[in-house]
Amino acid sequence: MDPKPLLSVIIPNWNGKKFLAECIDSLKEQTFCDFEIILVDNGSTDGSAEFVEHRYGAWVRIIRNKKNLGYSGGNNAGIRSAKGKYIVLLNNDTVVEPTWLEELVRAIGSDDQIGMWASKVCSYYQRDRIEAVGELIYWDGLNRARGQYEQDQGQYDEVEEIFFPPGCGGMYRKEVFDGIGLFDEDFFAYGDDAEIGIRARLAGWKCLFVPKGVLYHKNSGSTGQYSPFKAFYVERNRFWITIKYFPFPLLFLSIFFTFYRFCFQGYGVL
């Protein structure tokens, strides 16, 4: 293994043993090889760390946290330990195409202001369905995937600047974190990719969408698509984003936009 790899791929994990073999095996098939893998195990009780250690040996470096530090805390532990010039964040419930890392590296280019790169994220179960081609912020502070649920018909096949990458498969310059700090660990899970993305944009960094860097995501595999856990953190962290970053007029209007969104969500539930 290269003592100074170009990329550090960080996989935060909490009781995700059932996902890890498929995820890490897809990294073994990468056409680009100058990377390290860091699995950050957040106090799992399902034998995740032992499984990875037995199956992959020294090829995967394991950080064992004594308790669950969430997505933000887990990634921070990995970033602190990373040796790469670029940090690649990858969810444990993903499978990547063999050229995924190669395409991300190819997109680096010569613009030093680009500090973030977003993958094309498709559904693991319906691979012609888009899950995220970048992220958006709505008027009430909620972050939502750009292009979500659309059928992939080539409408997002251009390299273009976007707001910020989804946390399940984004690449960042290490110097971005050196300059703006790490993830806000108070967020724990959900919305933390939005918070760090907004903070990076405010610091002057750009984000590029890489359409040929494709991965497939089992959405909310670890926490559940409609779990109370997810609902709580999504809404709480959405509110925190408005408090941290919205100007006062928009902060006031977010109350009405939130009510408007809740009406649609209530209609959807019915």
Side-chain angles (χ1 to χ4, degrees):
M1 295 181 67
D2 189 343
K4 291 187 177 180
L6 183 67
L7 309 180
S8 294
V9 180
I10 298 171
I11 306 173
N13 175 74
W14 176 69
N15 289 335
K17 179 182 175 181
K18 60 184 177 181
F19 303 123
L20 291 173
E22 194 172 15
C23 176
I24 298 174
D25 282 353
S26 70
L27 289 171
K28 292 180 70 174
E29 302 299 322
Q30 291 300 293
T31 55
F32 180 86
C33 300
D34 188 13
F35 67 94
E36 64 173 348
I37 301 175
I38 303 172
L39 178 80
V40 183
D41 189 67
N42 273 329
S44 295
T45 57
D46 66 347
S48 291
E50 293 77 13
F51 167 77
V52 170
E53 186 176 43
H54 175 75
R55 184 180 177 99
Y56 301 102
W59 193 64
V60 177
R61 187 147 54 96
I62 302 174
I63 296 174
R64 290 176 169 87
N65 293 328
K66 293 182 179 180
K67 63 178 182 179
N68 186 3
L69 302 180
Y71 175 87
S72 50
N75 276 323
N76 285 349
I79 294 168
R80 292 187 188 102
S81 179
K83 301 174 183 177
K85 185 177 180 181
Y86 297 88
I87 303 296
V88 182
L89 304 181
L90 183 66
N91 276 20
N92 60 0
D93 55 354
T94 58
V95 176
V96 298
E97 286 283 358
T99 57
W100 177 57
L101 289 177
E102 180 181 343
E103 295 296 340
L104 289 177
V105 170
R106 184 175 291 156
I108 290 173
S110 59
D111 188 345
D112 293 338
Q113 289 303 113
I114 297 174
M116 302 175 284
W117 292 263
S119 309
K120 175 186 276 189
V121 183
C122 296
S123 169
Y124 176 86
Y125 303 104
Q126 292 179 282
R127 299 199 173 189
D128 63 340
R129 293 288 177 179
I130 293 170
E131 190 172 301
V133 287
E135 292 284 324
L136 305 169
I137 292 288
Y138 282 154
W139 298 102
D140 64 351
L142 186 72
N143 69 294
R144 178 163 177 154
R146 174 174 171 256
Q148 191 174 37
Y149 305 129
E150 295 181 25
Q151 186 171 8
D152 188 1
Q153 298 177 325
Q155 68 271 42
Y156 297 108
D157 279 356
E158 298 295 324
V159 177
E160 58 182 324
E161 184 177 351
I162 57 171
F163 197 177
F164 60 89
C168 68
M171 183 171 76
Y172 302 76
R173 290 185 193 270
K174 182 74 176 299
E175 60 188 286
V176 170
F177 298 108
D178 293 338
I180 68 172
L182 302 180
F183 283 89
D184 186 339
E185 296 191 15
D186 288 336
F187 275 63
F188 192 78
Y190 297 106
D192 30 23
D193 53 349
E195 195 278 334
I196 199 81
I198 294 171
R199 197 167 3 127
R201 293 303 304 238
L202 290 173
W205 294 102
K206 300 177 184 178
C207 179
L208 206 63
F209 169 60
V210 184
K212 292 184 178 180
V214 180
L215 65 84
Y216 306 100
H217 186 209
K218 303 170 185 176
N219 192 17
S220 298
S222 295
T223 61
Q225 177 68 7
Y226 301 108
S227 66
F229 174 93
K230 181 176 180 179
F232 170 76
Y233 280 102
V234 165
E235 286 299 329
R236 187 202 66 172
N237 293 348
R238 183 269 312 172
F239 176 71
W240 282 4
I241 284 174
T242 63
I243 296 297
K244 288 186 73 171
Y245 296 112
F246 276 31
F248 181 76
L250 194 54
L251 184 63
F252 177 74
L253 289 173
S254 71
I255 300 171
F256 299 98
F257 287 118
T258 300
F259 176 75
Y260 184 66
R261 176 170 57 84
F262 280 177
C263 288
F264 276 96
Q265 288 179 326
Y267 175 77
V269 168
L270 292 174

